[in-house]
Amino acid sequence: MTDWKIVYYSDSVMQFADNLPVGIRACYARIAERMVMHGPNLGMPYTRAMGEGLFEIRARGREGIARVFYCTTVGRKIVMLHGFVKKTDKTPEKELKIAVRRLHEVQHEDA
């Protein structure tokens, strides 16, 4: 069985991940590595299903908490759609809307 592959929706999403604060970025990298080997559905506390095929990576470090939304496509690809650094307990509606819009674009492309 082949490993999963991580791809990014855009260069800006990749840059977001690359520019996370060191502790959060290390956590994100560990989770992403685990996803490549074991598949995208790691479950809490690493990943969480958001519904309609949308998931989130739950990365945390001393500097705070980040979320990176993703989906999966045929060919064992994990597509990182959008990320943000959390400032409140609840995921802001604006961030979720961006991820859902990109999810629908990726799903439409894949159909």
Side-chain angles (χ1 to χ4, degrees):
M1 185 168 328
T2 59
D3 286 345
W4 287 77
K5 181 179 181 188
I6 291 180
V7 297
Y8 290 84
Y9 174 84
S10 65
D11 287 344
S12 63
V13 178
M14 185 186 294
Q15 287 168 353
F16 168 81
D18 288 345
N19 293 325
L20 283 167
V22 175
I24 300 173
R25 190 171 66 235
C27 180
Y28 169 79
R30 282 192 306 275
I31 294 170
E33 192 175 293
R34 214 175 258 191
M35 290 167 72
V36 167
M37 291 188 299
H38 303 292
N41 302 323
L42 299 177
M44 295 290 272
Y46 309 110
T47 63
R48 182 172 73 137
M50 304 293 287
E52 294 184 49
L54 184 68
F55 300 85
E56 69 176 4
I57 290 178
R58 305 165 58 81
R60 78 174 39 233
R62 331 181 272 293
E63 308 91 344
I65 299 171
R67 297 289 186 257
V68 179
F69 294 109
Y70 68 94
C71 67
T72 59
T73 65
V74 287
R76 298 175 71 85
K77 284 186 188 156
I78 300 166
V79 183
M80 300 300 176
L81 299 168
H82 178 63
F84 70 100
V85 174
K86 276 191 85 162
K87 304 213 183 329
T88 61
D89 285 344
K90 197 163 167 30
T91 297
E93 195 63 34
K94 179 186 95 172
E95 307 293 352
L96 194 54
K97 280 183 178 168
I98 292 168
V100 168
R101 186 181 75 241
R102 291 177 178 178
L103 168 70
H104 291 154
E105 283 177 31
V106 169
Q107 287 173 334
H108 183 70
E109 260 176 34
D110 224 33

